[in-house]
Amino acid sequence: MEDEAEIYDGARAQFPLTFGKQSKSQTPLEQIHNATRRSATAATASNESDKKSSSSKPSSEPVSPKPRIGPSRPPQSLANSDSNREEDDDDRDVPVGPPPPPPGQTVDDDDDGEAMVGPPRPPLRAVDDSDDDDGEMVGPPRPTAPVSDSDEDEDEEEENQHRIPTSNEIVLKGHTKIVSALAIDHSGSRVLSGSYDYTVRMYDFGGMNSSLQSFRQLEPSEGHQVRHISWSPSADKFLCVTGSAQAKIYDRDGLTLGEFVKGDMYIRDLKNTKGHITGLTCGEWHPKARETVLTSSEDGSLRIWDINDFKSQKQVIKPKLARPGRTPVTTCTWDREGKCIAGGVGDGSIQVWTLKPGWGSRPDVHIEKAHSDEITGIKFSSDGRILLSRSFDGSLKVWDLRKTKEALKAFEDLPNNYSQTNVALSPDEQLILTGTSVERESPTGGLLCFFDRSKLELVSKIGVSPNSVVQCAWHPKLNQIFATTGDKGQGGTHILYDPTLSERGALLCVARAPRKKSVDDLEIQPVIHNPHALPLFRDAPSRKRQREKILKDPLKSHKPDLPMTGPGHGGRIGSSKGSMLTQYLMKKGGMLKETWMEEDPREAILKYADVAAKDPKYIAPAYADTQPEPVFAESDSEDEEKR
């Protein structure tokens, strides 16, 4: 046997390791990305460019409707310019009018092979030109395209310079209602989404395949909507804020680490309570400190907590109000360095506090009536000078914290119906993005709007979903855009990316096909019977057994009485099987005789008189000594006849 094994090993060594193995069929990446490519109608498009394109004259050549995202094409080489132009002319039909010059061409060859000096020669026209073919043209080239086409090219170049990754799209589904909270860790490997269906779903790009299923589902607080989620700076924990008065801390795998204490609702002064007394509205982890978190509540206060002590807070902040009372704080945030706190108050004001020794609740910056309605989201720029705000009044405003009397810019006509609608910045902070809600009679769905921060103008609007867009984020490492959508019946997280610009993230899970099930995966789960287990660990009875047990019980199953045959009694038919037990025994023993209708009532009573006199049982023995003897009058038949 050993000799045969050595011979086999020696022969096997002459063949490659892949000999005899069936190679798995792999789908090319181009085909995978084509399946997730967005349609041309949902691609990037600006309002201004749409107006210009509709009003401009049609060009002589058909223009591809597909937008170019990314850097402009490199100029063609000198050797290939003429050949490419000749091939294009052969493939296309004869155009009507002058053809536009090929883009990117800087040097052209003359008919005699000599290089032309100066600008490129304009193409031949129907009208006879006086220029000589062999002569060199001096001066700028003639205009060959209308002004509107050049404007469109400039708009495309402006869009391309922002490099917005929107060519492909995937959707992380699973929620049954609108997704109101979103958090991506700093490395871009895990995504958390919270919804109005009271659950939090955890997605891992490294372990997820193209089925896009979450690996864990949590319910932080039963019956309370999830309103905000925030990762810690080290991404080993995350904060979950729900509609309850207590925020929770979870580790990276979704295990509960602690829950902050709830305050006493009967204490009037909020600074004397140990925690929030009403539902939370927002919360965010400190950008630098791993133990500090910030929460805001409907009770009208902001609180700073230390996760090492869940029983009390570090600081209580009460915003400045025009009228005494409790006005809810709808949103809150830190700046990039964690030295300032900004809060949006229900009366439409924005207040900023600077963390310094001896600081209190008096705000350093107070913008009264910043919005006409409640504020749903605020965001600091990295330098801490610009503040962005989003509100229910359908506007997005850009503020300079050095001049707060008036906003730098207010973008209107941005519908907002959800209190978690936020505003975000691109990684280079050149673009501002936010989502819009769907109005009842509006034909358009939820949009993702991009604004230029330096020019303070609209760059583009992207149709993401027929439902409202609530949360949005642009991850700096992945270069992918996340947008949460949904309505009363469904919810999901849309991820926009570009295979040429984005890295990891969605690219990892899209290219990973789900594992096919084989016969070896079949595992029979052993059945363990433990009749003496504690009620906490006892297995719940199966529904089938419970159903069978209920069917046997005539009361729980509401089983009707079976019909009977033959004469009956008391409204029931039958005499033996279906009759009552008392009736059956009396009939069998001969005790049941219906003779009361034939007897005289007086005789029926008097027949027991002798028995009662001889053997008194109840009342007569008690009065035996004191009761007089009854004397009955003897009747005389003669007297009765006379009467």
Side-chain angles (χ1 to χ4, degrees):
M1 296 296 294
E2 295 180 358
D3 296 340
E4 293 180 359
E6 293 178 358
I7 294 173
Y8 175 78
D9 293 340
R12 184 69 180 87
Q14 303 299 325
F15 297 94
L17 296 177
T18 57
F19 180 77
K21 294 184 179 180
Q22 296 181 357
S23 60
K24 297 181 180 179
S25 59
Q26 295 182 355
T27 307
L29 290 177
E30 295 182 0
Q31 184 176 353
I32 294 174
H33 293 314
N34 289 335
T36 60
R37 187 174 297 277
R38 290 167 52 85
S39 60
T41 58
T44 308
S46 174
N47 283 347
E48 298 178 359
S49 62
D50 290 341
K51 293 180 181 178
K52 292 179 181 179
S53 61
S54 61
S55 61
S56 61
K57 298 180 182 180
S59 59
S60 59
E61 292 185 2
V63 181
S64 175
K66 180 181 176 182
R68 289 187 290 112
I69 299 174
S72 59
R73 296 180 180 176
Q76 298 179 358
S77 61
L78 179 63
N80 298 333
S81 60
D82 286 341
S83 61
N84 293 339
R85 193 192 322 149
E86 291 175 0
E87 292 176 1
D88 294 340
D89 293 338
D90 295 337
D91 295 339
R92 292 178 297 187
D93 298 334
V94 178
V96 179
Q105 182 178 354
T106 58
V107 180
D108 195 4
D109 294 341
D110 197 15
D111 297 337
D112 298 336
E114 298 179 357
M116 186 177 73
V117 179
R121 180 185 303 155
L124 297 176
R125 295 175 178 269
V127 183
D128 294 336
D129 295 334
S130 60
D131 295 339
D132 190 10
D133 295 339
D134 297 334
E136 296 179 356
M137 177 179 172
V138 180
R142 296 179 181 178
T144 57
V147 180
S148 60
D149 293 343
S150 62
D151 293 342
E152 290 182 0
D153 295 340
E154 291 178 0
D155 294 339
E156 289 183 0
E157 291 179 359
E158 290 180 359
E159 293 180 6
N160 293 336
Q161 71 180 2
H162 295 299
R163 301 170 64 91
I164 305 176
T166 57
S167 62
N168 296 61
E169 178 184 13
I170 62 173
V171 183
L172 304 180
K173 298 181 180 180
H175 290 288
T176 58
K177 291 185 179 180
I178 190 167
V179 181
S180 57
L182 175 69
I184 309 104
D185 66 345
H186 307 288
S187 63
S189 59
R190 289 198 175 179
V191 178
L192 304 176
S193 63
S195 172
Y196 279 6
D197 61 2
Y198 319 134
T199 61
V200 174
R201 288 184 175 268
M202 305 178 66
Y203 301 89
D204 189 354
F205 286 125
M208 188 167 52
N209 52 30
S210 58
S211 62
L212 306 177
Q213 298 293 328
S214 60
F215 72 92
R216 182 154 297 174
Q217 180 179 355
L218 310 173
E219 188 172 1
S221 184
E222 184 178 359
H224 291 282
Q225 300 171 349
V226 180
R227 296 184 175 178
H228 202 81
I229 306 174
S230 179
W231 282 100
S232 64
S234 57
D236 58 341
K237 305 179 186 67
F238 66 89
L239 168 70
C240 182
V241 173
T242 62
S244 65
Q246 298 172 275
K248 285 188 176 181
I249 302 294
Y250 293 88
D251 66 354
R252 186 175 176 83
D253 296 326
L255 301 179
T256 306
L257 299 179
E259 183 180 21
F260 294 116
V261 68
K262 182 179 180 180
D264 189 352
M265 66 178 66
Y266 297 104
I267 298 178
R268 184 65 180 173
D269 191 359
L270 296 176
K271 288 191 174 182
N272 296 329
T273 59
K274 296 182 179 180
H276 291 290
I277 60 176
T278 56
L280 303 175
T281 57
C282 187
E284 190 170 340
W285 211 295
H286 194 283
K288 301 294 182 181
R290 299 175 55 184
E291 295 84 14
T292 306
V293 296
L294 172 68
T295 58
S296 61
S297 172
E298 296 173 354
D299 59 8
S301 67
L302 297 95
R303 296 174 191 264
I304 302 176
W305 303 82
D306 190 344
I307 64 172
N308 297 323
D309 183 13
F310 292 97
K311 299 299 181 182
S312 62
Q313 69 269 352
K314 293 172 60 177
Q315 181 76 21
V316 181
I317 306 172
K318 294 172 61 178
K320 182 180 179 181
L321 302 176
R323 297 180 181 178
R326 290 183 179 178
T327 304
V329 181
T330 56
T331 183
C332 62
T333 187
W334 298 90
D335 67 343
R336 186 174 183 179
E337 300 298 329
K339 297 180 180 179
C340 292
I341 296 174
V345 190
D347 58 1
S349 64
I350 300 175
Q351 303 184 27
V352 181
W353 296 268
T354 302
L355 276 64
K356 53 189 176 182
W359 70 286
S361 296
R362 186 177 183 84
D364 297 304
V365 178
H366 185 197
I367 308 175
E368 296 183 5
K369 298 181 181 180
H371 290 271
S372 59
D373 208 337
E374 293 184 2
I375 299 172
T376 61
I378 50 180
K379 179 71 174 179
F380 276 104
S381 62
S382 59
D383 55 5
R385 297 179 180 178
I386 302 298
L387 184 68
L388 310 174
S389 61
R390 187 80 162 91
S391 174
F392 271 132
D393 59 7
S395 66
L396 186 154
K397 293 188 177 181
V398 183
W399 302 88
D400 189 346
L401 295 180
R402 296 167 294 183
K403 299 177 182 179
T404 58
K405 291 184 179 181
E406 188 178 357
L408 295 178
K409 181 69 175 179
F411 300 100
E412 303 292 342
D413 298 332
L414 301 174
N416 181 11
N417 301 329
Y418 293 92
S419 58
Q420 286 77 34
T421 303
N422 71 333
V423 58
L425 289 168
S426 61
D428 57 359
E429 297 193 355
Q430 294 299 319
L431 292 178
I432 304 170
L433 62 153
T434 186
T436 62
S437 301
V438 177
E439 296 180 334
R440 290 185 178 180
E441 299 180 356
S442 176
T444 59
L447 301 176
L448 196 60
C449 304
F450 294 85
F451 303 93
D452 194 325
R453 177 185 167 186
S454 58
K455 298 181 180 179
L456 297 177
E457 61 183 10
L458 177 66
V459 174
S460 63
K461 288 185 178 181
I462 299 175
V464 177
S465 171
N467 303 320
S468 301
V469 178
V470 181
Q471 290 270 318
C472 60
W474 193 335
H475 199 275
K477 290 188 177 180
L478 302 181
N479 196 18
Q480 298 173 11
I481 301 174
F482 296 76
T484 65
T485 62
D487 55 8
K488 295 182 179 180
Q490 61 180 348
T493 303
H494 294 250
I495 304 177
L496 307 179
Y497 70 97
D498 192 331
T500 59
L501 303 176
S502 304
E503 297 180 1
R504 301 192 305 275
L507 299 176
L508 296 177
C509 57
V510 168
R512 190 181 296 115
R515 183 175 177 271
K516 295 182 179 180
K517 295 183 179 180
S518 62
V519 182
D520 299 334
D521 297 335
L522 180 61
E523 295 182 1
I524 301 176
Q525 298 294 336
V527 181
I528 302 174
H529 297 280
N530 189 4
H532 304 291
L534 296 174
L536 180 62
F537 306 101
R538 190 175 300 167
D539 295 334
S542 62
R543 294 183 178 180
K544 184 178 180 181
R545 290 186 179 181
Q546 287 181 347
R547 200 180 301 113
E548 292 177 353
K549 189 176 181 180
I550 290 174
L551 290 175
K552 292 180 181 179
D553 190 349
L555 296 179
K556 292 184 178 180
S557 62
H558 302 283
K559 185 178 181 181
D561 296 331
L562 297 176
M564 303 178 216
T565 58
H569 175 73
R572 292 182 60 84
I573 303 174
S575 58
S576 60
K577 293 184 179 180
S579 60
M580 293 182 292
L581 178 61
T582 306
Q583 182 181 358
Y584 175 76
L585 294 176
M586 293 178 70
K587 286 182 179 181
K588 288 294 184 181
M591 300 173 62
L592 184 62
K593 294 181 180 180
E594 298 179 1
T595 59
W596 56 274
M597 296 186 66
E598 301 177 356
E599 291 183 342
D600 185 9
R602 186 172 181 274
E603 292 180 358
I605 295 173
L606 291 177
K607 70 180 180 180
Y608 296 103
D610 296 339
V611 178
K614 293 179 181 179
D615 187 15
K617 292 183 178 180
Y618 302 105
I619 301 175
Y623 301 97
D625 298 336
T626 59
Q627 188 72 16
E629 293 182 0
V631 178
F632 298 100
E634 295 180 359
S635 61
D636 193 357
S637 58
E638 295 179 358
D639 297 338
E640 291 179 357
E641 291 176 358
K642 291 180 180 180
R643 293 177 183 175

